[in-house]
Amino acid sequence: TPQWFISMDAAGLRTKAIDAIRTVNWEPTWGEERIEGMVDKRPDWCISRQRSWGVPIPLFIHRETQQLHPDTSRLLEQVALRIEEEGIDAWFELDPKTLLGAEADHYSKVTDILDVWFDSGVTHSTVLKHDSRLRFPADLYLEGSDQHRGWFQSSLLTSVAMNDVAPFRNVLTHGFAVDAKGMKMSKSRGNVVAPQKIMKTLGGDVLRLWVAATDYRAEMNVSDEILRRMADAYRRIRNTARYLLANLNEFQPESDVVESADLLSLDRWILEQTYQLQQEITAAYRSYQFHQIYQKLHHYCVVTMGGFYLDIIKDRMYTCRPDSLARRSAQTTMYHVAEAMTRWLAPILSFTAEEIWQYLPGKHSESVFLEDWYEKLPAPAGRDDSWDNIIRVREEVSKELEKLRVTGAIGSSLDAEVNIYTTGELKLSLDALEDELRFIFITSRADVYDESTRPQDAHAGELEGLWLTVIPSQHKKCIRCWHHREDVGADPGHAEICSRCIDNIDGDGEVRRYG
């Protein structure tokens, strides 16, 4: 059967296409080598099919010479106008005499249709160049890994032939959804997980989070169990946002924000960590590494915030004077974090981010989707390992506290006192926090001594040069802050609370500088 072809070499299309491939950013990077190999070895492109449906090849061929009609361009335009008015069947129902008159007896009407890959391949012309909201070349073409042979390639070849450039600046290739056993999903196997079902039971954002959390460069596993884990991860992220909003209930950014230079040391440090994380997240968005965004964001919510910072500042939030520097410093920090985090969430957890946005204090635009990245996070002034050292010691203290908790010697960590024996840089980092070290460990007391004074029963930590003793406190418990202190009941007028709480209630309030 006679066919219509696009030659790969007659006009240098193959060479031009390979050159254009090298100007495109391919994600993953192996996509470049794959499509280049296909273009380099492919035969001429057969663009005709013998079907009774599809986009026609509206040409007239001379019955004897097999040459195109000399007035083909004008005839094509007339056919196009008819199709625009009457639909695609206008060509198939057309009597050649309508356009050719007496010449009709010498010409045959082509009844072949175009290869469907040609149809989709020229969307750079039929879509990008005919919609004022779009532009050519496209920023991104996105499809499955089978499209290096299909749409990616047909788009490339037609655009290079027509425009001498690739139709895309970036091409992202993703794998296919498979079940928990790695089997391709199909109705016949009965292993399809319907998106509609997920949205009805878990919500659209959980489905979106699964997509973002999965490394799309390989096949993407999905099952009820995987989705349940995603739902749990979603709740942890959402609960972090809820905690931030709950503690900003009466906070007014216009009057209550603390300047960066006046923030407590821990607050300044967590904002610097948040700034650094924002740089990593925005870079991951630019390179389409969505699974990295999920991993970093989940770790930030669960470990950095929930397991460390938010756990520590509860004492400040619940025991300090409402308008004290210590409390406003913590609220300022949570406000900045909430502003930044809502923007990080928006491209993935879109519904959740928009919901958070409506509850953030202060004046805001109507939607988070009208915003750019948050620019009020302080950049780190320089490398400081002090808080990293403190966190490592805190992890060692937590292990010893858990041992006491398991034996029943203590209930909460505030029932304990800790003595630390160390030297060098580690001791300097701990000493710098003075009496506020206990707030970081969430114990009723925390003292630091030189390594040379450690007792025989001190436990060696996993950190080199660190020894610990953790014991249940023998002092009375303050019913307000829950710390066990020797001064509980020292004031006859406040028989059940400590002097720090008395100062926060009746005095000027305690002064906090670090945590």
Side-chain angles (χ1 to χ4, degrees):
T1 303
Q3 302 284 9
W4 295 87
F5 291 87
I6 293 178
S7 172
M8 292 298 296
D9 299 304
L13 179 58
R14 189 188 310 277
T15 301
K16 290 180 181 178
I18 290 174
D19 289 342
I21 287 170
R22 295 168 182 169
T23 67
V24 176
N25 175 48
W26 299 85
E27 183 63 46
T29 54
W30 52 256
E32 178 177 352
E33 183 178 347
R34 185 178 187 192
I35 194 169
E36 184 174 322
M38 289 181 174
V39 171
D40 184 49
K41 293 178 175 59
R42 72 161 293 151
D44 291 342
W45 182 8
C46 178
I47 63 167
S48 56
R49 296 290 185 272
Q50 289 69 52
R51 302 279 197 282
S52 58
W53 53 267
V55 177
I57 301 177
L59 301 174
F60 294 98
I61 304 298
H62 196 280
R63 294 180 186 277
E64 295 181 5
T65 66
Q66 299 298 302
Q67 296 298 308
L68 290 174
H69 192 285
D71 205 9
T72 291
S73 295
R74 182 184 61 82
L75 292 171
L76 277 172
E77 183 60 30
Q78 290 190 17
V79 173
L81 291 173
R82 287 173 178 269
I83 290 176
E84 187 175 346
E85 292 178 0
E86 304 171 27
I88 206 74
D89 284 337
W91 168 253
F92 297 107
E93 296 171 356
L94 177 71
D95 184 344
K97 291 181 180 180
T98 306
L99 296 181
L100 301 182
E103 290 184 300
D105 292 338
H106 302 291
Y107 285 88
S108 298
K109 185 176 73 170
V110 175
T111 58
D112 293 349
I113 66 163
L114 284 167
D115 174 15
V116 292
W117 287 120
F118 189 93
D119 295 351
S120 60
V122 294
T123 49
H124 54 78
S125 177
T126 59
V127 177
L128 295 185
K129 293 185 178 180
H130 286 79
D131 190 325
S132 59
R133 298 169 300 175
L134 306 176
R135 63 187 179 193
F136 175 87
D139 290 322
L140 177 71
Y141 270 41
L142 163 68
E143 251 292 1
S145 53
D146 57 343
Q147 296 307 313
H148 295 97
R149 189 180 300 280
W151 183 49
F152 294 154
Q153 191 174 152
S154 64
S155 300
L156 174 75
L157 296 178
T158 54
S159 180
V160 169
M162 296 167 66
N163 308 297
D164 287 327
V165 295
F168 32 63
R169 294 185 176 91
N170 300 275
V171 173
L172 187 147
T173 308
H174 61 78
F176 295 94
V178 297
D179 64 20
K181 298 178 181 178
M183 300 294 292
K184 182 180 177 181
M185 290 192 170
S186 66
K187 291 181 180 178
S188 59
R189 285 200 182 97
N191 62 347
V192 173
V193 178
Q196 294 86 345
K197 178 183 176 183
I198 299 169
M199 288 187 284
K200 286 181 180 178
T201 57
L202 299 175
D205 273 358
V206 172
L207 180 61
R208 296 170 69 93
L209 187 62
W210 166 75
V211 174
T214 307
D215 187 349
Y216 59 78
R217 293 172 294 187
E219 308 301 354
M220 298 179 288
N221 295 92
V222 59
S223 67
D224 290 338
E225 176 58 30
I226 291 171
L227 290 169
R228 279 195 292 271
R229 291 202 298 269
M230 281 294 105
D232 182 63
Y234 167 77
R235 280 191 291 270
R236 289 174 179 267
I237 296 170
R238 182 181 175 89
N239 286 341
T240 301
R242 288 185 64 185
Y243 185 89
L244 296 174
L245 292 175
N247 283 281
L248 293 171
N249 184 47
E250 37 63 62
F251 182 75
Q252 299 298 324
E254 295 79 8
S255 57
D256 298 336
V257 162
V258 176
E259 293 299 320
S260 180
D262 298 325
L263 293 171
L264 270 63
S265 176
L266 176 62
D267 298 333
R268 171 77 191 192
W269 179 82
I270 200 70
L271 286 181
E272 290 176 353
Q273 298 300 302
T274 305
Y275 172 89
Q276 183 60 43
L277 178 60
Q278 179 161 284
Q279 308 312 301
E280 296 172 6
I281 284 178
T282 53
Y285 270 122
R286 292 191 196 102
S287 59
Y288 312 109
Q289 301 300 313
F290 306 113
H291 65 290
Q292 291 185 10
I293 297 167
Y294 162 75
Q295 291 167 2
K296 293 176 184 295
L297 184 57
H298 187 258
H299 183 273
Y300 177 78
C301 289
V302 174
V303 178
T304 308
M305 294 297 288
F308 181 66
Y309 179 74
L310 297 179
D311 202 26
I312 292 169
I313 65 168
K314 286 178 183 176
D315 183 87
R316 259 194 281 162
M317 291 300 302
Y318 303 155
T319 67
C320 291
R321 295 181 66 88
D323 60 349
S324 64
L325 172 63
R327 191 167 180 274
R328 291 301 189 207
S329 178
Q331 287 184 306
T332 298
T333 301
M334 287 188 283
Y335 170 71
H336 289 315
V337 168
E339 284 274 4
M341 194 172 85
T342 308
R343 291 164 167 85
W344 304 343
L345 295 175
I348 297 173
L349 301 180
S350 304
F351 299 105
T352 302
E354 189 74 329
E355 184 181 5
I356 296 169
W357 191 253
Q358 307 308 316
Y359 289 96
L360 283 175
K363 297 179 180 178
H364 290 88
S365 60
E366 183 180 352
S367 170
V368 66
F369 298 106
L370 301 175
E371 297 292 322
D372 294 322
W373 301 119
Y374 193 57
E375 297 180 350
K376 295 183 180 180
L377 297 171
R383 182 166 180 81
D384 182 0
D385 294 330
S386 296
W387 278 105
D388 292 334
N389 289 334
I390 292 166
I391 290 172
R392 286 193 285 269
V393 175
R394 186 177 187 268
E395 291 170 350
E396 294 295 323
V397 171
S398 296
K399 293 174 186 176
E400 295 303 306
L401 289 171
E402 184 59 27
K403 292 177 183 177
L404 280 185
R405 190 178 289 111
V406 169
T407 64
I410 62 171
S412 76
S413 60
L414 285 173
D415 295 337
E417 299 177 356
V418 58
N419 295 315
I420 301 168
Y421 305 90
T422 187
T423 188
E425 183 181 341
L426 205 56
K427 187 173 188 298
L428 291 174
S429 298
L430 298 170
D431 283 339
L433 269 64
E434 301 171 349
D435 184 52
E436 293 184 37
L437 185 61
R438 64 184 171 115
F439 299 123
I440 307 302
F441 295 155
I442 315 181
T443 55
S444 286
R445 190 178 186 90
D447 294 308
V448 183
Y449 302 96
D450 189 82
E451 173 191 340
S452 61
T453 65
R454 73 177 189 273
Q456 292 284 334
D457 61 346
H459 176 76
E462 292 184 14
L463 280 177
E464 185 177 353
L466 177 72
W467 287 265
L468 305 167
T469 61
V470 180
I471 59 172
S473 177
Q474 301 303 309
H475 298 295
K476 289 178 63 178
K477 179 181 179 179
C478 171
I479 63 169
R480 183 172 182 272
C481 69
W482 293 6
H483 284 246
H484 294 259
R485 304 294 291 175
E486 61 272 18
D487 56 7
V488 173
D491 184 332
H494 301 84
E496 295 183 285
I497 62 176
C498 63
S499 59
R500 178 174 73 100
C501 285
I502 295 173
D503 192 26
N504 284 328
I505 296 171
D506 293 337
D508 295 331
E510 66 177 312
V511 175
R512 298 271 278 267
R513 293 186 295 165
Y514 306 108

